[in-house]
């Protein structure tokens, strides 16, 4: 019996059917296997696709039939091997029972798009449709039908096909993305593939618009600019455009927009099809673009290359819309880093001494520190250049501090080199190496000249003290000399039953020693020891400061000159059973990091001391550039490996002399009777920058030599670096002791405090209103520091020393080791007391708040009676943090609390636990892992300090 089509079927019959819908109906019909060869589909009788479809292995011919006659003719003409689809908008009554008797189900079937959707998502399973999905529009059904994969869409988890499930899979298929990755990152990844963008652009406008609207729901505001760029034909630039959003819509920029920014935004609009981005869209866009770049930079070579291409493209677009000069606002674009470096360089120049300025040096240095923070925050920063910038700021802070009084004794001069100016030298070497950008390089050159002005005065004063001390044959007292080290430092360790690894790094000066000590301290395997837990000390070299004199004097225990044969003979005589290794002894066969005989000696309990001479630094003076090398276990050949197999030995690390680097165009070549680098026989009088040295500690030239104190003077052929002169960088030998987690390894020595000076580790704080920071010296020897280098020929500086009155012997006590190997500290280097000194006068706000904390009942309740932190130590730590506006480095906290540097991490953890009331983060650590942060308002609230 024929069935007549209903009103709904007639209505559907007037709609043009899409090829995909016909295919889906055919698939369903063939799956029924009802034995019929034809089917009537009620739709507008139009067909523009292929006349014959292959569904499975079955050919199916589609014939539009506007009249019953056309339908009958199609049935008659059907080929035996084909199935037949009759597309008609005629009701069953007009087709007639005779015709319908030859078709499936003897009636016309409607092509309901939502029924096809159900079929695509569940096959034969009946699904209910979410009403919000149907209300979205007919386009969804058509798109889901047309774009359905051969195997159909993944069915929903329940019996309801939700709008989110349907549209998420539809959008994922169009964008070739996992449906669960329709976020900002996924959209930007899609934008890198032009082929999938074309697939989206070629969609009917209604489909593309509907999918775009859903993407905004799924991915947030970032979808608006990304999709707009794709539809405007600029999709491949989507990531680059996102990076520029940070320039034209800066985060935290507020609502006010300057004319230049407004014009640039207008120039960018065509790339988004005329769309104007909102602040929220631009911010989300920028964050997504940055996140994509970060991931790509950490990826394989291909994705990393793609990230760099995007960065370059962003800069090209910036040039096209004329905003290149504003790229400093970008945390990622390389041009932005260049601009930040130039802004930093300008701030450095402004921070240099200028007596006529109305702005204090402190305020200008604070501005330089701010520019440095912007440089450090740039994600495309060259880390080497950033580190040099940090050194420049440190030197500015050093210049801003009042110059310390000139040392009265040789010991004090040695300590100034070890504890202060050695750090200056380390920073000075970095800025001497310079920067690739001419504008930055010029700022560094100017800074270097000013630093050299003060530094040269220190060098001359050191040399004059050395000249006087040497000629007067003055007793060393507490001062260590190179010939004293083995008897006064090493032998007491051996007498105490500990074995020693003595590492002599030929040519290591105080700057290199600082780098090596920091590197060893960072790895956590070694604890640095200092006399009585005080500041580091140093050793005075013999003259001239060359290897043949100082290394032989070290091993013989007296001023002597000799080669390695003489050194080995003296060493064996003084330390029977010990082993001395030179360069040839440390060479290893293939596959071995430590030569077998060396490893055996280090592990042998019967070998009290193993001494190794490592020539890496001294060799660099001839063949490379010691000024650009950061010395440490990875750059000093064999150092890391020897330490790795010596964990049960006390490590004594020192050198035979330091060095100065070649000064390039500033270097001065003086004619001399010999070709030595930095000393000459006293055949003629000392000239500018030179002094005459005489005495028993002068091992060459018959006890009379001329040595330069100015670093730029040399006598021999040009090299990368030199030694032999009287500059403190050459004449002061660093002395470093390390033990593997054993502070009691050496009698009279204990865990070292923070070694860096305040200006090295802490930023200069803003000067209170009405106060003026100390200005650095504007002149050196009566001349501006930015002028000619002190002591140049013709500058008027005298080369002869003004004889100083004879000074008493050096202070006794700092390094006087008794027979029992007990060190007696001098006033200059007394042990750091367990309780820190007072943080300041009572009126100091930082100390006032710290005292209020100690008086708080909440504090009293929280003190840990099992392992309390001493109250004065808590006060010192809190006061240091408050004085720094809530921030301080861990090194500074260790210094303020009077604890060894390696203990500060545990102390910080204990303090954080003490201050963390009810879990609130009163005290925390920056992501850099080195800067402590105190939330001062939260501290006041949690401990009730506002009620006291």
């Amino acid at each position: 019996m024929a069935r007549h089509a209903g009103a709904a079927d007639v209505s559907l019959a007037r709609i043009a059917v899409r090829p995909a819908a016909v295919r889906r109906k055919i698939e369903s019909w063939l799956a029924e296997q009802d034995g019929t060869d034809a089917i009537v589909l009620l739709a507008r009788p139009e067909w523009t696709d292929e006349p014959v479809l292959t569904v499975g292995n079955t050919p199916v011919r589609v014939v539009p039939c506007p009249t019953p006659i056309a339908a009958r003719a199609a049935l008659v003409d059907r080929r035996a091997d084909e199935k037949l689809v009759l597309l008609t908008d005629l009701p069953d009554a007009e087709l007639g029972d005779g015709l319908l008797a030859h078709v499936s189900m003897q009636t016309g079937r409607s092509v309901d798009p939502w029924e096809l959707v159900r079929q695509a998502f569940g096959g034969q399973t009946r699904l209910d449709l979410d009403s919000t999905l149907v209300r979205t529009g007919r386009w969804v059904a058509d798109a889901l039908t047309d774009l359905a994969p051969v195997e159909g869409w993944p069915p929903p988890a329940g019996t309801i096909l939700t709008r989110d499930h349907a549209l998420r899979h539809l959008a994922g298929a169009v964008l070739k993305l996992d449906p669960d990755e329709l976020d900002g990152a996924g959209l930007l990844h899609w934008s890198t593939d032009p082929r999938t963008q074309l697939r989206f652009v070629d969609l009917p406008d209604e489909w593309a618009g509907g999918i775009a609207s859903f993407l905004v729901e799924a991915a947030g505001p970032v979808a608006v600019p990304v999709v707009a760029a794709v539809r405007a034909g600029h999709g491949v630039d989507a990531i680059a455009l996102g990076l520029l959003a940070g320039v034209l819509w800066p985060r935290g920029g507020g609502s006010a927009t300057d004319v230049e920014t407004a014009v640039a935004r207008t120039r960018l609009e065509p790339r988004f099809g005329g769309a104007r981005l909102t602040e929220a869209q631009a911010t989300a866009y920028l964050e997504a673009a940055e996140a994509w770049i970060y991931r790509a930079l950490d990826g394989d070579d291909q994705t990393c290359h793609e990230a760099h291409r995007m960065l370059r493209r962003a800069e090209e677009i910036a040039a096209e819309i004329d905003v290149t000069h504003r790229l400093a606002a970008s945390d990622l674009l390389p041009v932005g880093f260049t601009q930040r470096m130039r802004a930093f360089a300008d701030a450095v120049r402004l921070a240099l001494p200028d007596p006529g300025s109305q702005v204090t040096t402190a305020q200008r240095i604070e501005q330089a520190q701010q520019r440095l923070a912007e440089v450090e925050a740039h994600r495309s920063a060259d880390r080497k250049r950033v580190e040099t910038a940090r050194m420049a700021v440190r030197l500015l802070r050093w210049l801003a501090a009042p110059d310390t009084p000139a040392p009265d004794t040789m010991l004090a001069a040695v300590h100034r080199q070890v504890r202060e100016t050695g750090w200056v030298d380390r920073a000075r070497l970095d800025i001497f190496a310079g920067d690739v950008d001419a504008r930055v390089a010029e700022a560094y050159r100017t800074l270097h000249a000013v630093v050299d002005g003060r530094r040269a005065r220190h060098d001359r004063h050191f040399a004059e003290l050395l000249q006087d001390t040497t000629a007067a044959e003055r007793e060393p007292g507490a001062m260590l000399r190179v010939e004293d080290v083995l008897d006064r430092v090493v032998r007491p360790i051996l007498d105490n039953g500990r074995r020693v690894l003595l590492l002599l790094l030929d040519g290591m000066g105080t700057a290199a020693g600082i780098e090596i000590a920091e590197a060893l301290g960072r790895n956590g395997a070694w604890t640095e020891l200092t006399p009585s837990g005080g500041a580091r000390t140093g050793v005075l070299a013999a003259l001239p400061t060359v290897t043949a004199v100082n290394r032989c004097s070290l091993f013989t225990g007296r001023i002597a000159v000799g080669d390695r044969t003489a050194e080995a003979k003296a060493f064996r005589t003084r330390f029977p059973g010990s082993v001395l290794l030179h360069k040839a002894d440390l060479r290893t066969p293939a596959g071995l990091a430590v030569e077998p005989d060396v490893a055996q000696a280090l592990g042998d309990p019967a070998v009290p001391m193993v001494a190794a001479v490592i020539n890496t630094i001294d060799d660099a003076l001839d063949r490379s550039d010691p000024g650009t090398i950061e010395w440490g276990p990875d750059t000093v050949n064999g150092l890391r490996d020897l330490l790795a197999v010596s964990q049960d030995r006390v490590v004594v690390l020192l050198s035979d002399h330091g060095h100065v680097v070649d000064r390039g165009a500033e270097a001065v070549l003086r004619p001399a009777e010999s070709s030595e680098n930095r000393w000459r026989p006293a055949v003629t009088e000392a000239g500018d920058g030179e002094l005459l040295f005489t005495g028993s500690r002068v091992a060459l030239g018959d006890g009379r030599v001329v040595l330069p104190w100015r670093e730029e003077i040399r006598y021999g052929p040009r090299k990368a670096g030199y030694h032999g002169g009287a500059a403190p960088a050459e004449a002061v030998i660093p002395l470093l002791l390390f033990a593997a987690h054993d502070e009691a390894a050496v009698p009279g020595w204990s865990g070292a405090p923070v070694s860096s000076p305040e200006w090295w580790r802490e930023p200069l704080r803003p000067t209170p209103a009405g106060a003026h920071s100390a200005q650095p010296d504007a002149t050196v020897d009566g001349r501006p520091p930015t002028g000619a280098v002190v002591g140049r020929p013709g500058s008027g500086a005298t080369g002869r020393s003004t004889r100083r009155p004879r000074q008493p012997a050096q202070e006794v006590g700092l390094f006087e080791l008794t027979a029992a190997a007990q060190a007696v500290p001098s006033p200059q280097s007394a042990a750091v007391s367990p309780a820190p000194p007072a943080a300041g006068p009572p009126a100091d706000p930082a100390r006032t708040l710290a005292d209020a904390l100690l008086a708080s009942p909440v504090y009293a309740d929280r003190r840990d009676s099992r392992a309390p932190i001493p109250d004065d130590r808590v006060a010192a730590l809190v006061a240091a943090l408050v004085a720094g506006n809530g921030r301080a480095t861990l090194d500074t906290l260790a210094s303020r609390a009077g604890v060894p540097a390696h203990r500060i991490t545990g102390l910080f953890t204990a303090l954080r636990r003490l201050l963390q009331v009810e879990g609130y983060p009163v005290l925390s650590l920056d992501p850099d892992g080195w800067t402590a942060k105190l939330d001062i308002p939260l501290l006041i609230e949690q401990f009730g300090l506002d009620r006291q």
Side-chain angles (χ1 to χ4, degrees):
M1 171 85 68
R3 183 181 65 83
H4 295 285
D9 294 337
V10 173
S11 176
L12 290 171
R14 299 192 182 111
I15 300 174
V17 69
R18 302 185 64 83
V22 172
R23 179 176 288 276
R24 297 291 175 246
K25 293 298 289 186
I26 294 172
E27 290 171 351
S28 178
W29 166 46
L30 295 178
E32 295 170 7
Q33 296 182 351
D34 60 359
T36 59
D37 295 318
I39 185 174
V40 173
L41 297 181
L42 298 176
R44 187 183 302 168
E46 297 174 356
W47 186 252
T48 57
D49 203 15
E50 293 294 330
V52 179
L53 304 178
T54 301
V55 181
N57 295 321
T58 303
V60 180
R61 183 176 295 276
V62 181
V63 181
C65 301
T67 65
I69 294 176
R72 292 178 182 276
L75 285 172
V76 172
D77 295 338
R78 182 185 71 83
R79 293 175 52 175
D81 61 338
E82 291 180 344
K83 299 286 188 178
L84 186 64
V85 174
L86 306 177
L87 287 183
T88 183
D89 56 359
L90 300 173
D92 286 358
E94 291 189 34
L95 290 174
D97 290 343
L99 186 149
L100 293 175
H102 298 282
V103 301
S104 176
M105 298 183 64
Q106 293 84 47
T107 184
R109 301 190 187 192
S110 64
V111 185
D112 183 349
W114 294 110
E115 188 63 33
L116 295 175
V117 169
R118 290 189 180 94
Q119 176 185 331
F121 276 95
Q124 300 301 319
T125 303
R126 183 72 178 175
L127 286 175
D128 291 327
L129 299 179
D130 183 352
S131 60
T132 59
L133 173 62
V134 177
R135 288 198 300 271
T136 302
R138 166 69 183 266
W139 72 267
V140 180
D142 291 341
L144 287 169
T145 302
D146 269 27
L147 303 178
V150 174
E151 67 279 6
W153 297 108
T159 60
I160 298 177
L161 178 59
T162 65
R163 178 176 177 275
D164 181 79
H165 183 84
L167 290 180
R168 186 170 291 278
H169 284 84
L170 174 62
V174 170
L175 275 57
K176 297 293 184 183
L177 292 175
D178 188 300
D180 294 327
E181 295 180 358
L182 297 180
D183 52 13
L187 290 181
L188 288 175
H189 181 72
W190 163 60
S191 74
T192 63
D193 186 348
R195 291 172 299 180
T196 58
Q197 291 182 45
L198 287 175
R199 176 182 171 90
F200 177 78
V201 171
D202 289 342
L203 293 176
D205 287 344
E206 188 179 16
W207 294 17
I211 292 173
S213 297
F214 176 75
L215 289 174
V216 175
E217 298 176 24
V222 66
V224 175
V226 174
V227 173
V230 170
R231 299 185 76 177
H234 295 280
V236 292
D237 290 335
I239 295 173
L241 292 169
L243 297 175
L244 290 181
V247 177
L248 301 182
W249 287 269
R251 282 174 284 209
S255 57
T257 303
D258 59 73
V259 174
E260 187 179 47
T261 299
V263 170
R265 291 179 182 179
T266 301
R267 290 173 179 163
L268 208 60
E269 284 178 9
R271 300 172 192 268
F272 298 110
R276 294 186 177 183
L277 305 188
T278 66
E279 297 284 346
Q281 290 167 353
T283 299
Y285 194 16
L286 168 64
E287 291 174 351
E290 288 180 336
W292 190 93
I293 292 289
Y294 297 151
R295 286 193 295 269
L297 290 174
D298 291 335
D300 57 28
D301 289 345
Q302 182 176 352
T303 55
C304 186
H305 174 77
E306 183 69 5
H308 286 291
R309 188 186 71 79
M310 296 294 183
L311 294 173
R312 290 193 299 271
R313 181 57 184 150
E315 292 175 354
E316 291 171 0
I317 297 173
E320 292 169 8
I321 63 174
D322 197 23
V323 292
T324 298
H325 60 287
R326 304 189 67 164
L327 293 186
S330 171
D331 286 335
L332 263 176
L333 297 177
V335 169
F337 174 68
T338 298
Q339 292 179 357
R340 291 188 189 189
M341 282 294 296
R342 291 174 178 173
F344 168 73
D346 293 342
V348 168
R349 280 195 296 269
L350 288 173
L352 291 172
D354 182 5
S357 173
Q358 299 300 311
V359 181
T360 67
T361 300
Q363 289 172 326
R364 288 181 166 180
I365 291 176
E366 185 187 359
Q367 293 170 1
Q369 290 172 163
Q370 292 171 354
R371 300 292 84 77
L372 173 62
E374 293 166 0
V375 167
E376 291 173 327
H378 203 281
R379 298 301 185 92
S380 294
D382 181 322
R383 294 303 153 194
K384 176 61 178 173
R385 296 178 68 191
V386 171
E387 184 60 25
T388 303
R390 292 192 186 109
M391 295 298 180
V393 168
R394 285 165 169 158
L395 290 174
L396 288 176
R397 294 199 291 254
W398 178 68
L399 288 170
D403 199 2
T404 55
D408 291 331
T409 66
M410 197 70 246
L411 173 63
V414 168
H415 282 168
R416 177 158 74 168
Q417 175 64 20
V418 171
R419 300 170 185 176
E420 180 184 358
T421 49
W423 296 83
V424 175
D425 290 345
R426 178 184 171 191
R428 191 169 54 135
L429 287 170
D430 274 15
I431 65 167
F432 180 81
D435 193 90
V436 294
D437 187 278
R439 190 158 145 189
V440 181
E442 178 60 23
Y444 288 168
R445 187 197 67 79
T446 305
L447 172 61
H448 192 274
V450 177
V451 170
D452 261 8
R454 177 185 283 194
R455 190 69 180 80
R457 187 177 63 199
H458 290 189
D459 286 357
R460 184 174 64 182
H461 184 79
F462 176 93
E464 290 173 351
L465 273 175
L466 181 60
Q467 179 192 47
D468 183 67
T469 300
T470 305
E473 304 288 351
R474 191 163 293 118
E475 290 299 317
M479 183 177 65
L480 274 175
R481 303 172 303 181
V482 67
E483 63 267 33
D484 304 328
V485 173
L486 294 187
D487 280 338
R488 296 179 62 183
V489 178
V490 177
R491 193 175 295 280
I493 300 173
L494 299 173
D495 292 345
N496 195 48
R498 295 300 301 264
R499 295 182 298 148
V500 171
L501 170 62
L502 176 68
L503 295 174
L504 192 146
L505 274 57
D506 195 342
M508 177 182 67
T510 50
I514 288 167
E515 293 177 335
I516 292 171
E518 285 188 339
L520 292 180
R522 280 195 300 267
N523 70 16
W526 296 94
T527 298
E528 183 181 358
L529 308 178
T530 52
S532 300
R536 285 177 185 159
T537 190
V539 178
L540 185 65
L543 303 178
T545 52
V546 295
T547 299
V549 172
N550 281 277
R551 213 161 72 191
C552 194
S553 298
L554 172 74
F555 289 122
T556 60
R558 57 182 176 82
I559 299 299
V561 181
D563 57 13
R564 65 182 58 188
T565 302
E567 296 165 10
K569 180 179 179 180
F571 182 82
R572 288 193 299 268
T573 301
R574 298 178 67 198
F575 299 95
S578 295
V579 176
L580 175 59
L581 307 167
H582 287 89
K583 179 189 289 189
D585 304 313
L586 296 172
R587 292 194 176 100
T588 61
L592 294 177
V594 180
E595 204 278 332
D597 291 340
V598 174
Q600 181 179 359
L602 287 169
D604 189 347
V607 178
M609 175 165 50
V610 174
V613 177
I614 300 177
N615 298 94
T616 306
I617 297 176
D618 196 55
D619 289 345
L621 304 182
D622 289 328
R623 293 189 289 273
S624 59
D625 188 353
T628 60
I629 300 172
E630 183 174 347
W631 297 110
D634 293 324
T635 51
V636 177
N637 294 338
L639 178 57
R640 179 181 297 278
D641 300 323
L642 289 172
L643 291 172
V645 294
S646 304
Q647 294 286 309
D648 58 345
R649 291 179 179 265
V650 174
V651 175
V652 179
L653 197 152
L654 76 163
S655 68
D656 48 359
H657 54 73
H659 66 266
V660 296
V661 299
D662 182 75
R663 302 300 289 269
E666 299 175 359
V668 177
L669 176 62
R670 291 279 177 84
E673 295 74 14
S674 67
S675 60
E676 300 295 336
N677 292 153
R678 293 266 296 167
W679 73 275
R680 65 181 179 85
V683 176
T684 59
E685 289 189 359
D688 292 337
E690 299 176 325
L691 291 173
L692 172 66
F693 289 82
T694 62
S696 63
R697 297 193 78 246
V698 179
L700 298 174
D702 295 326
R704 290 174 55 85
V705 295
V706 172
L707 306 179
W709 56 265
R710 277 178 43 205
E711 292 187 351
E712 60 268 28
I713 293 176
R714 78 175 198 277
Y715 306 117
R718 168 157 280 175
K719 297 180 180 179
Y722 315 94
H723 58 89
E730 303 162 277
V732 176
I733 299 169
L735 175 64
L736 303 167
L737 265 68
F738 293 91
H741 307 297
D742 185 0
E743 290 187 44
V746 180
W749 295 63
S750 58
V754 173
S755 57
S756 57
E758 184 89 3
W759 53 264
W760 180 271
R761 62 180 180 269
E762 282 298 320
L764 202 63
R765 302 300 177 186
T767 305
H772 295 279
S773 66
Q775 293 285 348
D777 299 314
T779 61
V780 176
D781 301 330
R783 297 187 302 281
T786 54
V789 178
V790 176
R792 285 276 182 94
S795 67
T798 177
R800 292 181 293 276
S801 167
T802 300
R803 175 63 65 184
R804 298 172 53 84
R806 286 182 61 118
Q807 300 292 332
Q810 307 298 323
E811 298 90 338
V812 177
L814 171 65
F815 225 93
E816 284 296 304
L817 298 180
T818 66
Q822 298 297 318
V824 181
S826 74
Q828 284 77 9
S829 185
V832 178
S833 59
D844 179 10
R847 186 70 200 200
T848 300
L849 183 62
D851 291 340
L853 172 67
L854 299 185
S856 164
V858 179
Y859 174 82
D861 289 342
R862 292 189 59 78
R863 290 186 77 242
D864 188 348
S865 59
R866 295 169 298 177
I869 308 175
D871 287 348
D872 50 5
R873 189 158 287 166
V874 172
L877 292 169
V878 172
L881 286 160
V882 174
N885 296 323
R887 298 176 71 87
T889 65
L890 292 182
D891 270 354
T892 292
L893 294 182
S895 178
R896 295 288 193 275
V899 298
H902 66 279
R903 291 186 188 169
I904 188 57
T905 302
L907 181 61
F908 175 82
T909 301
L911 181 64
R912 180 164 56 183
R913 187 167 55 247
L914 173 65
L915 299 183
Q916 193 164 311
V917 179
E918 297 177 352
Y920 286 96
V922 174
L923 183 63
S924 60
L925 197 62
D926 250 0
D928 65 6
W930 199 239
T931 304
K933 297 191 300 182
L934 177 68
D935 189 328
I936 298 175
L938 186 58
L939 174 76
I940 294 172
E941 176 185 347
Q942 292 299 308
F943 286 87
L945 305 185
D946 53 347
R947 298 189 294 274
Q948 296 186 35

